[in-house]
């Protein structure tokens, strides 16, 4: 019932910047907490940053001070502004959203996007 579509990934040099976007669509009533995760080859998927509907944020220590998570509630879009990128930021980045759908009987469920690849390399 809900689809999340990430975009904005690509190849960037160390020290560069990228902005990822995640657009939620479908049978949406309310989008609650949203988050960015990432997974590098051979690694577990890890939480990068999350944000509540009201805008409270948390960041992984590895990205704190370099990345900024934000959202547009009117458009149901999640963003991740990534700066001062490092090779260790290379990963597939996934969007997650807790969504109350119109026919969900007030039960929130998590939805995941397909991911967008970020490669930081010189």
């Amino acid at each position: 019932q809900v689809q999340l579509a990430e975009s904005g990934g690509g190849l960037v040099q160390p020290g560069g910047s990228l902005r990822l976007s995640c657009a939620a669509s479908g049978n949406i009533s309310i989008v609650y907490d949203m988050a960015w995760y990432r997974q590098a080859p051979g690694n577990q998927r890890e939480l990068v940053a999350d944000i509540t509907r009201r805008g409270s944020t948390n960041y992984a220590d590895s990205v704190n001070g370099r990345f900024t998570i934000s959202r547009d509630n009117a458009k149901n879009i999640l963003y991740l502004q990534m700066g001062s990128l490092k090779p260790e930021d290379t990963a597939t980045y996934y969007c997650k959203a807790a969504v109350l759908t119109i026919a969900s009987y007030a039960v929130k469920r998590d939805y995941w996007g397909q991911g967008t690849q970020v490669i930081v390399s010189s």
Side-chain angles (χ1 to χ4, degrees):
Q1 294 185 330
V2 176
Q3 299 82 42
L4 302 181
E6 300 102 332
S7 62
L11 175 65
V12 64
Q13 293 185 348
S17 299
L18 280 176
R19 188 181 74 163
L20 306 183
S21 299
C22 170
S25 61
N27 194 27
I28 295 171
S29 180
I30 303 173
V31 179
Y32 291 95
D33 293 355
M34 304 183 80
W36 287 101
Y37 288 75
R38 68 186 182 187
Q39 187 167 20
N43 289 16
Q44 292 185 257
R45 186 171 298 187
E46 64 174 347
L47 176 66
V48 176
D50 58 48
I51 184 169
T52 70
R53 184 170 178 83
R54 295 190 63 180
S56 296
T57 60
N58 289 288
Y59 297 91
D61 289 342
S62 59
V63 307
N64 193 32
R66 299 187 297 120
F67 291 9
T68 300
I69 188 170
S70 61
R71 62 191 291 171
D72 184 333
N73 289 339
K75 298 181 179 180
N76 289 327
I77 299 178
L78 176 71
Y79 301 98
L80 184 67
Q81 181 67 49
M82 305 184 295
S84 301
L85 284 163
K86 305 174 180 179
E88 51 263 44
D89 295 319
T90 296
T92 299
Y93 285 72
Y94 298 90
C95 173
K96 187 183 79 171
V99 179
L100 176 68
T101 60
I102 294 174
S104 68
Y105 304 100
V107 177
K108 292 185 292 183
R109 297 185 184 275
D110 288 340
Y111 295 85
W112 290 85
Q114 292 297 306
T116 184
Q117 189 173 31
V118 172
I119 299 175
V120 184
S121 177
S122 59

